[in-house]
C-alpha cells in the first residue's frame, strides 16, 4: 500500500512514538466490549492498540484516502465525515448504548471548535481523552488569575473535571509539529449546574472580549441590557473571576426575550 502523504489543510501530524502510544492507551485503559469513538484515527497508530483491547471501535475520519484504508480493517466502523458535522447523539443511538468514550489526536487548527461541539453531546459521553497542543490544554485546566485562564477554561471547567496527564514532544510525530503536545482526560461532572449553555457561552465571550479591562466596561453593560439587578462584582477583570462565580451568575440571569 502506498505511503500516505500528510495533508497540511487537515492539520495532519501522525503519532509514531511507540512509548507515547502505549502511555496514552494505558491512560485511557480500554476494556473489552466498551463502546468507544475515535476522532481522526489517521494511520491507526492509536486505533490498532485500542481495537486490540476493545474488540471493536467506531472511527471518524475526514480524509477520504484514510477512510478507505480504514474500511479494510474488520473491527472498525468508519464514519467518513467532518467531526463538526457528526451528531454524537445519533452515533450513540446507532450503537445502542447509553454512553460512549471518546478519544482522539485532534487537529491543531480546529481543536477548540471540536471541544465546543462535543459540549453539546456531553450527556451521552462517559469520558474524553484527547491529544492537543499543550498550550490549549494549559488554557483548559488553568486556574483563575493565571495568564492561561480564558473563555475556554470557564466553558469546560463548569462541565468537566480535567487532568493534563501526559506531555508529548514534537519528535513523537511524523512530520513533527512546531509545538509541544499533551494528553488531557475530561470526565463530565455528575451533577453540573443546570445553566443555559448558549447563555453561558455568550456571557463568557462578552466577559473575555477585552480581558485587560475591568468587567464593568463589558459584562457590566451586557448585564444592564439584560435587566440584571443582582450582586456581581464588575470591578474585577474576566480572568480574576472563578468558574463558580460565572456559573452562579448564569443561573441568575433571565434568558433574553424571544430566546
Amino acid at each position: 500500500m502506498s505511503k500516505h502523504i500528510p495533508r497540511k489543510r487537515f492539520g495532519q501530524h501522525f503519532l509514531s512514538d511507540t512509548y507515547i502510544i502505549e502511555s496514552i492507551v494505558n491512560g485511557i485503559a480500554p476494556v473489552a466490549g466498551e463502546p468507544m469513538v475515535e476522532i481522526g484515527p489517521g494511520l491507526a497508530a492509536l486505533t490498532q492498540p485500542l481495537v486490540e483491547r476493545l474488540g471493536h471501535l467506531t472511527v471518524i475520519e475526514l480524509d477520504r484516502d484514510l477512510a478507505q484504508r480504514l474500511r479494510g480493517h474488520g473491527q472498525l466502523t468508519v464514519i467518513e465525515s467532518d467531526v463538526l458535522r457528526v451528531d454524537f447523539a445519533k452515533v450513540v443511538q446507532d450503537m445502542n448504548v447509553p454512553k460512549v468514550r471518546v478519544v482522539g489526536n485532534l487537529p491543531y487548527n480546529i481543536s477548540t471548535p471540536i471541544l465546543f461541539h462535543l459540549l453539546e453531546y456531553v450527556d451521552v459521553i462517559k469520558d474524553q481523552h484527547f491529544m492537543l497542543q499543550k498550550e490549549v490544554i494549559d488554557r483548559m485546566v488553568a486556574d483563575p488569575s493565571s495568564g492561561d485562564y480564558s473563555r475556554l477554561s470557564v466553558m469546560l471547567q463548569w462541565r468537566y473535571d480535567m487532568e493534563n496527564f501526559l506531555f508529548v514532544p514534537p519528535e513523537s510525530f511524523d512530520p513533527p509539529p512546531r509545538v509541544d503536545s499533551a494528553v488531557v482526560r475530561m470526565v463530565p461532572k455528575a451533577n453540573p449546574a443546570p445553566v443555559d449553555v448558549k447563555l453561558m457561552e455568550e456571557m463568557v465571550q462578552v466577559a473575555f472580549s477585552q480581558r485587560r479591562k475591568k468587567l464593568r466596561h463589558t459584562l457590566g453593560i451586557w448585564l444592564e441590557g439584560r435587566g440584571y439587578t443582582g450582586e456581581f462584582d464588575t470591578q474585577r477583570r474576566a480572568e480574576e473571576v472563578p468558574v463558580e462565580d460565572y456559573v452562579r451568575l448564569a443561573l441568575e440571569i433571565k434568558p433574553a426575550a424571544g430566546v
Side-chain angles (χ1 to χ4, degrees), residues 161-211:
D161 289 318
M162 291 183 292
E163 178 196 355
N164 174 354
F165 78 90
L166 186 69
F167 173 76
V168 184
E171 55 272 22
S172 304
F173 298 89
D174 181 23
R178 292 196 183 95
V179 295
D180 289 330
S181 304
V183 182
V184 67
R185 176 179 293 116
M186 306 173 69
V187 181
K189 289 182 187 288
N191 299 299
V195 302
D196 178 317
V197 181
K198 293 290 174 212
L199 178 78
M200 176 95 164
E201 209 168 318
E202 187 185 329
M203 182 187 81
V204 174
Q205 195 157 8
V206 170
F208 281 92
S209 61
Q210 299 179 59
R211 58 183 298 152

Side-chain angles (χ1 to χ4, degrees), residues 67 121 128 139 212 221-222:
Y121 301 102
Q128 299 174 165
R139 292 210 311 273
R212 299 279 164 260
I221 294 165
W222 185 83

Side-chain angles (χ1 to χ4, degrees), residues 7-13 39-40 60-63 81-86 88 104-119 130-133 135-137 139-140 151-152 156 179:
R7 299 188 185 184
K8 204 168 183 179
R9 70 190 177 100
F10 291 157
Q12 290 177 341
H13 296 277
I39 296 168
I60 299 168
E61 178 55 67
L62 173 61
D63 188 313
S81 172
D82 176 346
V83 66
L84 296 176
R85 295 175 182 273
V86 172
F88 278 81
N105 172 13
L106 300 190
Y108 293 156
N109 49 357
I110 57 159
S111 56
T112 301
I114 292 172
L115 292 168
F116 276 98
H117 179 64
L118 287 165
L119 196 51
F130 294 131
M131 181 151 49
L132 295 156
Q133 229 168 305
E135 65 177 52
V136 174
I137 294 181
R139 292 210 311 273
M140 290 164 70
R151 166 179 163 247
L152 191 63
L156 296 179
V179 295

